[in-house]
Amino acid sequence: MIDLAFLNLMAESAFFWAAFLFMVASAFTGIAALRLSLKGEAVTSLMAISSFTTIAGVSLFLISLPELFNVGFARDTAIALLVIGSIGTIIFARLFRTGD
Amino acid sequence: MWEAVFVLTYAAVVMGYTAWNIKKGSFVIDPSQLILFSILGAIVIIAILTMASGDFFGAAEPILKLGAAALLFAGIPPMLAAGVGYIRFGEEYGPNIFYARNHITGVIDTVASLVMIFVGILIYRLDLAAVGFFFFLLIPFTGNALANAYYYSYQRRLGK
């Protein structure tokens, strides 16, 4: 019989740091997307904000995991951002296309 | 101490391998073989640990969590590359740079949704996987709608 506690500890630590570094990398990309949304024209801004909502949604979903920070209400915000953000982008792109 | 060394080594190996794929522009190892051997390796390690400890779930959970950590580490280089691409490709490349930026947006969306799907499966959080899958289905529609919007609005501006 071997003790799995050490393996568990290493897996928890690896998962925590992986998710944390993924959120940091996402934050960097999110800042780049915000910069693009402030510089570009209307459709470019829409695209940049769409990717920013994606990044924010994934980061919030990772925050809500019990293995990380266990912020339960972030999960609902993340679902709203990911689903409604994509659908809103499609609707506004349709408006920009027709020019109404 | 040992866990910090392990995490650093694990992160360096996985991120280095992903960055090598991105630098090369194609897969270093065929993904079908890599995924197959990873699954087989995980099954063998879980079987050995189960026989040694007598606890299947206790042996499977850390191995699957290490797989989820590898997926998250593998998502970091494309995310950073996408951020650099957003900053690097400015207006000096002409009006068609929008399509390159649209491609970068697709990379971000795909990385985010694949990470959500597979991490959700590996750590038994099926709500994460379900939302990731729903989002994965919406990505092509979003990219197509944005490219269409830019194309037609640009044509209108040219016509004026």
Side-chain angles (χ1 to χ4, degrees):
Chain A
M1 293 286 175
I2 63 165
D3 188 17
L4 293 170
F6 185 65
L7 188 64
N8 260 316
L9 189 67
M10 283 202 298
E12 294 274 347
S13 184
F15 185 78
F16 177 83
W17 284 106
F20 189 73
L21 289 178
F22 184 80
M23 283 193 283
V24 171
S26 300
F28 168 71
T29 311
I31 290 169
L34 269 183
R35 176 179 174 271
L36 182 66
S37 72
L38 293 174
K39 280 179 72 177
E41 53 170 310
V43 186
T44 310
S45 298
L46 179 66
M47 183 189 72
I49 288 299
S50 159
S51 56
F52 184 76
T53 53
T54 305
I55 288 161
V58 174
S59 299
L60 282 172
F61 222 128
L62 288 176
I63 283 171
S64 76
L65 292 178
E67 287 87 352
L68 289 172
F69 302 112
N70 202 9
V71 184
F73 61 86
R75 175 177 164 272
D76 304 333
T77 320
I79 292 173
L81 270 177
L82 286 170
V83 175
I84 301 172
S86 308
I87 293 171
T89 304
I90 293 171
I91 293 168
F92 271 97
R94 184 84 186 161
L95 287 178
F96 278 123
R97 179 190 166 168
T98 53
D100 292 336
Chain B
M1 169 65 189
W2 284 112
E3 63 183 79
V5 172
F6 171 76
V7 171
L8 277 175
T9 315
Y10 195 54
V13 168
V14 176
M15 287 167 64
Y17 177 72
T18 316
W20 185 18
N21 278 280
I22 294 172
K23 180 81 172 65
K24 194 183 171 201
S26 62
F27 291 108
V28 177
I29 304 173
D30 188 15
S32 58
Q33 292 177 2
L34 182 68
I35 291 168
L36 188 68
F37 284 119
S38 303
I39 292 172
L40 285 176
I43 289 171
V44 169
I45 293 171
I46 289 170
I48 292 170
L49 286 174
T50 305
M51 282 189 285
S53 67
D55 180 11
F56 172 72
F57 292 106
E61 194 182 340
I63 301 299
L64 294 179
K65 199 168 270 183
L66 281 175
L71 281 170
L72 284 163
F73 277 133
I76 293 171
M79 263 308 180
L80 288 176
V84 171
Y86 266 159
I87 295 169
R88 175 72 183 78
F89 294 130
E91 301 294 335
E92 66 268 20
Y93 288 95
N96 286 342
I97 195 64
F98 176 85
Y99 301 107
R101 288 171 176 162
N102 200 12
H103 172 67
I104 295 172
T105 307
V107 169
I108 293 171
D109 291 350
T110 310
V111 168
S113 63
L114 289 182
V115 160
M116 285 174 75
I117 291 170
F118 291 110
V119 169
I121 289 171
L122 287 174
I123 62 169
Y124 314 122
R125 282 291 301 257
L126 291 184
D127 56 340
L128 186 63
V131 174
F133 185 71
F134 185 75
F135 183 63
F136 186 70
L137 292 180
L138 280 174
I139 294 170
F141 297 101
T142 311
N144 183 273
L146 284 169
N148 255 323
Y150 182 75
Y151 177 76
Y152 285 105
S153 62
Y154 186 64
Q155 293 296 321
R156 269 200 307 277
R157 266 184 287 148
L158 284 182
K160 279 182 182 173

